[in-house]
């Protein structure tokens, strides 16, 4: 589908024709479609807000019941059209929308004089707290209550419901940024592309877009000023959005369709033009992803983000629960390498049972491996679970810890792995200190994996979630490339030539993948969707050519120059529209 319009939406403003917004392209693809804006978060009704003069409590209660029912009907209808995790989320939320206990508690507050909006707000807060205190499965339903609360208030106010907007026809989603929770209901059959005014190349929006194979541009300031229904052309490689595109853009969008068809398959062996092998692995968040990655030809798993299996949990998962989650991934890759990362809780991925929500600076706080300082025992139990899950499967199980800063930490982690019976310990290099001391770290562990998302944010001191810092927050920064070079040098000089992989988003950028290989990285791990594009571009260069491109990027004056110089020397990118 090349051109999409949304029937019934506001017509495109002709005066805006040709207006261009520049952002950062984070997922390639060229598409034309009508936009829908992500509604703003629902504003909390004033504390103590009372019923308006002359409004009878019975009428306000009836309005509340009608609103709750309408929200339920809408969510039920949407769940019927959804599948997988999205369907489950919608079904659970639909049930909660008209929950008798919730509605009854709100009606009681209205009878005491509260406005309908304030009443549902407070009633939902009490129900959420009660569920939270019950723990386990019930505690996980607390977020559903808070979600429906916003929807019911929006219904009462007659404004759009929060979250991903709904439309019968496909659209380009425009918003400030996407929260991880929004993604469960993002239907890739309806959303053609993602455009946000905030967020950086390593933000959740970017990671999700690449995982779903959707063209995406982040940090495009001003896009939120466009109106629903505006027709735009999105170029996810160039990072631009053009209002009311013309014949040239229609041709580019058509050409992109041909490219996606050509790139549909990866033959399962990553190699350069001269035959130099570069195993291409996949980043997964659980068994479902792993099955998809295996089907896409991934040569193994380079990063299992175990925290993704338990993001909704208030309490530590039991060993049995963990064994089940990990075994599903191992079973998808018999005979292949699966690198399990221990829980990376904290910062943008808080886990209530491990992290302290009140930390002033969570990205620099107790996150990743560091949670072992404050919650001893959780890491050991996780390693036990990984060992149990590995037992009896055919996968080659490697384990690594996130957010390692010193060789001492690597040594401690390796000791815990040995105690658990896990034979191939490694660590992530995501903190500059780890890159600089890679040789000492590799005295204790068998491999390192560069987490370029965090390595970039820490090297550049730029929060990976902030749109205004997107230009700093790119792994094309020569300083980041130098840290990667030093990590490889540490492995070659004194690190006994132990493997250095990349599992950050940098590996999914086909041009940067060439640079990484030129710098001496041995494996690349990425979202399954990126495998075929990365494989195609790698296959267009020899190792000496990749090394030359790496040298050019390292000595470039800026990230923009590094990217431009390398891209100019890779004509295949233009041919394929990547
Ligand atoms: C990284 O930091 O590059 C990485 C792979 O870890 P995450 O994105 O999960 O923080
Ligand atoms: Mg990281």
């Amino acid at each position: 589908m090349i051109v999409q319009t949304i029937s019934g939406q506001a017509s495109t403003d002709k005066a805006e024709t040709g207006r261009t917004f520049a952002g950062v392209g984070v997922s390639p693809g060229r598409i034309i479609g009508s936009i829908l804006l992500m509604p703003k978060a629902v504003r909390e009704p004033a504390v103590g807000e009372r019923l308006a003069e002359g409004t009878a409590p019975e009428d306000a209660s009836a309005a509340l019941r009608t609103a709750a029912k309408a929200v339920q009907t809408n969510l039920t209808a949407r769940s019927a059209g959804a599948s997988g995790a999205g369907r489950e989320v919608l079904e659970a939320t639909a049930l909660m929308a008209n929950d008798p206990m919730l509605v009854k508690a709100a009606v009681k507050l209205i009878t005491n004089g509260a406005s309908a909006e304030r009443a549902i707000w407070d009633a939902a807060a009490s129900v959420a707290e009660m569920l939270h205190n019950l723990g386990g499965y019930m505690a996980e339903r607390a977020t559903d209550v808070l979600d429906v609360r916003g929807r019911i208030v929006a219904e009462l106010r007659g404004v759009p419901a929060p979250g991903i907007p709904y439309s019968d026809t496909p659209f380009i989603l425009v918003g400030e940024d996407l929260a991880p929770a929004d993604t469960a209901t993002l239907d890739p059959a309806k959303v053609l592309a993602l455009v946000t005014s905030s967020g950086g190349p390593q933000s959740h929006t970017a990671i999700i877009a690449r995982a779903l194979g959707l063209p995406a541009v982040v940090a495009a300031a001003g896009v939120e000023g466009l109106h629903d229904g505006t027709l735009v052309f999105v170029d996810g490689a160039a990072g631009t959005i053009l209002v009311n595109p013309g014949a040239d853009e229609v041709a580019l969008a058509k050409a992109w369709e041909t490219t996606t068809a050509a790139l549909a398959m990866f033959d399962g062996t990553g190699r350069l033009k001269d035959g130099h092998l570069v195993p291409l692995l996949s980043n997964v968040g659980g068994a479902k992803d792993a099955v998809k990655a295996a089907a896409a030809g991934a040569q193994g798993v380079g990063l299992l983000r175990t925290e993704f299996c338990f993001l909704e949990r208030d309490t530590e998962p039991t060993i049995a629960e963990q064994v089940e989650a990990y075994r599903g991934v191992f079973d998808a890759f018999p005979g292949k390498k699966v690198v399990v990362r221990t829980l990376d809780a904290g910062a943008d991925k808080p886990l209530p049972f491990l992290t302290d929500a009140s930390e002033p600076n969570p990205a620099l706080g107790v996150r990743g491996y560091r949670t072992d300082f404050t919650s001893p025992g959780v890491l050991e139990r996780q390693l036990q679970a990984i060992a149990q899950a590995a037992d009896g499967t055919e996968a080659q199980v490697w384990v690594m810890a996130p957010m390692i800063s010193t060789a001492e930490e690597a040594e401690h982690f390796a000791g815990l792995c040995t105690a658990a019976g896990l034979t191939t310990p490694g660590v992530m290099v995501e903190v500059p200190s780890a890159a600089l001391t890679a040789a000492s770290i590799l005295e204790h562990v068998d491999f390192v994996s560069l987490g370029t998302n965090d390595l970039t944010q820490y090297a550049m001191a730029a929060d990976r979630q902030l749109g205004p810092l997107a230009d700093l927050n790119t792994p094309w920064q020569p300083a980041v490339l130098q840290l990667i070079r030093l990590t490889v040098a540490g492995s070659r000089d004194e690190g006994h030539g132990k493997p250095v992989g990349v599992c950050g988003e940098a590996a999914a950028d086909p041009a940067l993948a060439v640079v990484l290989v030129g710098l001496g990285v041995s494996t690349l791990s990425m979202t399954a969707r990126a495998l075929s594009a990365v494989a195609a571009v790698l296959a267009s260069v020899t190792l000496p050519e990749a090394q030359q491109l790496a040298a050019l990027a390292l000595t470039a004056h800026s990230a923009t120059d590094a990217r431009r110089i390398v891209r100019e020397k890779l004509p295949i990118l233009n041919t394929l529209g990547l």
Side-chain angles (χ1 to χ4, degrees), residues 341 344 367 428 430 454 464:
R341 177 174 76 183
D344 183 24
R367 59 166 294 200
M428 290 193 74
E430 348 185 53
D454 279 315
R464 67 196 254 188

Side-chain angles (χ1 to χ4, degrees), residues 48-75:
E49 187 177 270
R50 311 286 295 166
L51 276 174
E53 278 276 314
T55 306
E58 301 73 41
D59 293 342
S61 302
L64 175 81
R65 287 200 173 91
T66 309
K69 185 81 197 137
V71 169
Q72 183 181 42
T73 308
N74 177 289
L75 290 170

Side-chain angles (χ1 to χ4, degrees), residues 108-187:
K108 194 164 167 207
L109 294 175
I110 295 174
T111 313
N112 291 337
S115 73
E117 292 169 26
R118 190 69 223 178
I120 189 69
W121 198 270
D122 289 340
S126 310
V127 173
E129 192 183 342
M130 188 193 75
L131 291 171
H132 190 270
N133 291 340
L134 287 173
Y137 172 82
M138 296 311 274
E140 287 161 33
R141 301 280 68 80
T143 34
D144 298 339
V145 183
L146 298 178
D147 181 65
V148 295
R149 163 172 95 171
R151 291 174 183 279
I152 296 173
V153 170
E155 182 72 27
L156 284 165
R157 288 181 184 159
V159 299
I164 308 254
Y166 181 70
S167 165
D168 285 336
T169 45
F171 60 93
I172 291 171
L173 181 62
V174 175
E176 190 190 340
D177 203 359
L178 287 186
D182 293 325
T183 58
T185 51
L186 193 157
D187 178 357

